[in-house]
Amino acid sequence: MSEKSKFSWGPATGIGSMPGIDARESAKTVIGSFESFPCLPELPARGPGADMLGRSIGMLVEMYAHVEPSGWRVSDRPGRDTRRARSWLGEDLDALEEFTQGYQGPLKVQAVGPWTLAAGLELRGGEAVLGDPGACRDLAASLAEGLRAHLAEVRRRVPGAQVVLQLDEPSLVSVLRGGVRTASGYRTHRAVDRQVVEGALRDVMAVGDGPAIVHTCAPDVPVALLRRAGASGISFDFSLLTERDEEAVGEAVEDGIQLFAGVVPGTDTALSDPAGSVMGVRTLWRRLGLNPGTLAESLVLTPACGLAGASPEYARTALAHCARAARSLADNPE
């Protein structure tokens, strides 16, 4: 059995983002839904600094940014936007601490990974950091330092937690394929060498004492690359998995990689019964020739992506549905 598989994961958790602007209400909902694997909610509806990029930019060490009409751009010093990002995160941590008194077990926190950050953050001239290899290295190093401090703060506030770091990398496939557009929109940035991508991910994932996972809800997740980079888990939209991906997924499972399978849609829709939501997972296991008895221990069930675009009522329903589907899988793996 791999070292990776010895960690005691919970059966289900959230991806991160939630609708609304009330940190306490979101923390109460998420922690109540996932009693054995909660996560720190993110509330992008609050505006700049609470958005996915801004939240992680606020964690950077000795790198700052502000909001331009085109998006986040590097600054010389921390300004109002950076301060706002740090304030929102502090508010979220206060709410997390309030509702996790006495909690012991895995607890997930999320940040944007180095490549999605490089694709989304602009240099002073307006082009993405991604186009400057030196700036990419500096950004990854700054993010690693910031995350080291952030994880220490979470452990201080929730002493019984085994903190899991999730890097959100929705742009990763575009970075690898040269699909990120330049500022003009007429060209794309050159594809980044896979070893460079892997190295930066490895360095950032190594900052914590606990496991690190990578989440992307884009198609064609580079499973083998993420394994080599040291990911303990891979989080993806299960509906986007194709036959082409199955061999890599099977090898990951046998290597002890935890699969975070997004089986519940992230925006409002009618949901099937919980057992129906995991039918595809059971089918995949059979096709891969894996032991059905390992299903529950190899999988964490999640929504397909963040729930920021959902209604508050649907978000609560989706989280509860993930937890019930996980119970269904544990009770009846066949």
Side-chain angles (χ1 to χ4, degrees), residues 42 51-64 74 86 89 109-121 129 134-152 165-170 172 197 199-208 212-214:
E42 304 167 14
D51 61 295
M52 186 174 74
L53 280 180
R55 186 178 179 86
S56 294
I57 286 166
M59 296 180 194
L60 296 176
V61 172
E62 294 181 1
M63 281 188 82
Y64 314 105
V74 169
R86 291 173 178 171
L89 181 59
V109 299
Q110 306 80 224
V112 173
W115 295 109
T116 296
L117 204 52
L121 176 61
V129 169
C136 286
R137 286 192 295 272
D138 291 345
L139 181 62
S142 174
L143 177 63
E145 281 304 304
L147 284 173
R148 190 173 281 116
H150 176 54
L151 296 175
L165 171 63
Q166 173 180 305
L167 295 181
D168 291 320
E169 283 283 15
L172 183 60
V197 170
L201 285 168
R202 182 184 296 111
D203 290 346
V204 175
M205 284 193 283
V207 300
I213 72 170
V214 177

Side-chain angles (χ1 to χ4, degrees), residues 87 140 162-163 171 190 320 334:
S87 174
Q162 299 161 300
V163 183
S171 300
R190 183 178 302 170
E334 302 287 347

Side-chain angles (χ1 to χ4, degrees), residues 10 14 29 35 44-45 48 63 76-77 85 103 107 117 127 129 132 173 199 205 234 246 248 264 267 315 319 327 333:
T29 298
E35 293 175 357
M63 281 188 82
D76 291 326
R77 59 185 65 85
Y103 175 74
L107 168 67
L117 204 52
E127 285 294 354
V129 169
D132 182 332
V173 174
M205 284 193 283
I234 300 173
E246 289 183 3
V264 177
T267 50
L319 298 185
R327 278 198 296 275

